[in-house]
Amino acid sequence: MALPVTDESLWFRRFHPRPEAEVSLVCLPHAGGAASFYFPISELLPPTVEALAVQYPGRQDRRHDTPIENIHEMAREIFEALTPLTAHRPIALFGHSMGASVGFELARLLEGELGTVPVALFASGRPAPSHHRSLDIHRRDDAGLIAELQLVSGTDSRILGDAELLRLALPAIRSDYKAAETYEYRPGARLRCDIVGLAGDSDIRVRAPEMAGWREHTAGSFRLEVFSGGHFYLGEQKAAVAGVITDTLRAATARPRRTID
């Protein structure tokens, strides 16, 4: 019998179910990325943390769904799907590149509309919202878009080497780049949750001051973790990243859970 289609089954992938976990870590992919990008991180997390990897529409098993070309709309859709899960255990957020912007807006919705303060927001490889800039990559032709993917090595090499797979993937990739590059930061109250910035030391797309700017967006604590590697340092540093996540969440869950009255 087929499982019922629910908001959760549409949006979240549990690669390593941990029903006794103390924290749910919502993992938000980069432009052109899919939930499977976070499989290695999910595998390395301890039993106390369960990863919920977000599957954006327009890729893999959601390839027939229309991609979303707006960060605020994306965050809203994920928020609606995530809301029922917030009653079960605390939520932390991890977003890489475009996913960091989605995570920031998702954290705003959780705090502003539910009064739920995430345990932490991990913002990886993305300038702070107030430092947003666009290279208009989404306006390039297919060759220009593919050149960018090759430059930052952000797409599975099997896809880049397979013309048919690339043809199928490009519309969603372009839509994601449009969402990321047309994102508009809206000034407002600072987040209450702690923010951990993560970056590769040779990332050609994100400069250190832009990452440090995340400090401006929280009334909680901020720290920046720098790893060896480029924009997709996570591929080589997954064990170290999983360690930062684990240590941060262990310390945070030892404190009383924060809410907004």
Side-chain angles (χ1 to χ4, degrees):
M1 177 181 296
L3 293 174
V5 175
T6 64
D7 285 346
E8 179 181 344
S9 64
L10 278 176
W11 284 98
F12 304 114
R13 303 293 174 268
R14 300 171 189 255
F15 298 119
H16 304 94
R18 297 181 175 117
E20 303 304 317
E22 298 174 3
V23 181
S24 293
L25 179 68
V26 178
C27 299
L28 302 140
H30 55 283
S36 57
F37 176 74
Y38 286 107
F39 182 95
I41 295 292
S42 172
E43 190 173 33
L44 291 169
L45 293 174
T48 53
V49 182
E50 181 181 61
L52 302 180
V54 172
Q55 189 74 299
Y56 302 140
R59 67 223 64 209
Q60 293 187 340
D61 54 345
R62 298 194 65 187
R63 63 187 178 277
H64 298 302
D65 295 342
T66 303
I68 297 174
E69 298 183 340
N70 181 281
I71 294 293
H72 295 280
E73 182 182 346
M74 182 84 78
R76 170 62 64 179
E77 292 282 344
I78 298 168
F79 171 74
E80 297 294 342
L82 181 63
T83 294
L85 305 181
T86 61
H88 301 294
R89 62 171 78 121
I91 300 291
L93 307 171
F94 188 109
H96 180 65
S97 198
M98 179 187 79
S101 294
V102 179
F104 173 73
E105 294 299 336
L106 181 55
R108 281 181 145 185
L109 290 171
L110 288 167
E111 293 192 5
E113 298 194 12
L114 290 185
T116 297
V117 179
V119 177
L121 168 61
F122 298 91
S124 169
R126 179 74 165 168
S130 55
H131 291 246
H132 173 69
R133 54 189 166 80
S134 174
L135 299 175
D136 280 340
I137 293 166
H138 71 282
R139 297 183 183 276
R140 298 179 184 176
D141 60 15
D142 287 353
L145 184 56
I146 292 169
E148 172 66 16
L149 298 176
Q150 292 171 331
L151 181 64
V152 298
S153 301
T155 299
D156 192 315
S157 59
R158 292 170 298 177
I159 294 178
L160 290 176
D162 187 311
E164 181 61 19
L165 284 178
L166 191 57
R167 182 184 67 81
L168 295 173
L170 273 179
I173 294 171
R174 187 179 299 281
S175 292
D176 284 356
Y177 268 91
K178 181 178 180 180
E181 294 187 317
T182 60
Y183 168 65
E184 294 183 1
Y185 166 64
R186 301 167 182 170
R190 290 190 295 171
L191 293 175
R192 297 277 297 278
C193 68
D194 298 336
I195 297 179
V196 179
L198 304 97
D201 61 5
S202 57
D203 189 340
I204 63 172
R205 288 291 178 244
V206 186
R207 298 185 291 268
E210 295 173 319
M211 287 300 303
W214 282 96
R215 185 186 307 275
E216 305 165 12
H217 295 286
T218 181
S221 69
F222 171 81
R223 75 177 192 275
L224 178 61
E225 300 278 352
V226 180
F227 302 85
S228 175
H231 190 61
F232 284 91
Y233 68 90
L234 282 84
E236 298 176 354
Q237 305 293 341
K238 53 183 177 292
V241 171
V244 168
I245 294 170
T246 300
D247 292 345
T248 300
L249 297 184
R250 181 183 295 121
T253 53
R255 303 191 298 263
R257 186 176 180 182
R258 288 178 288 182
T259 60
I260 300 173
D261 297 329

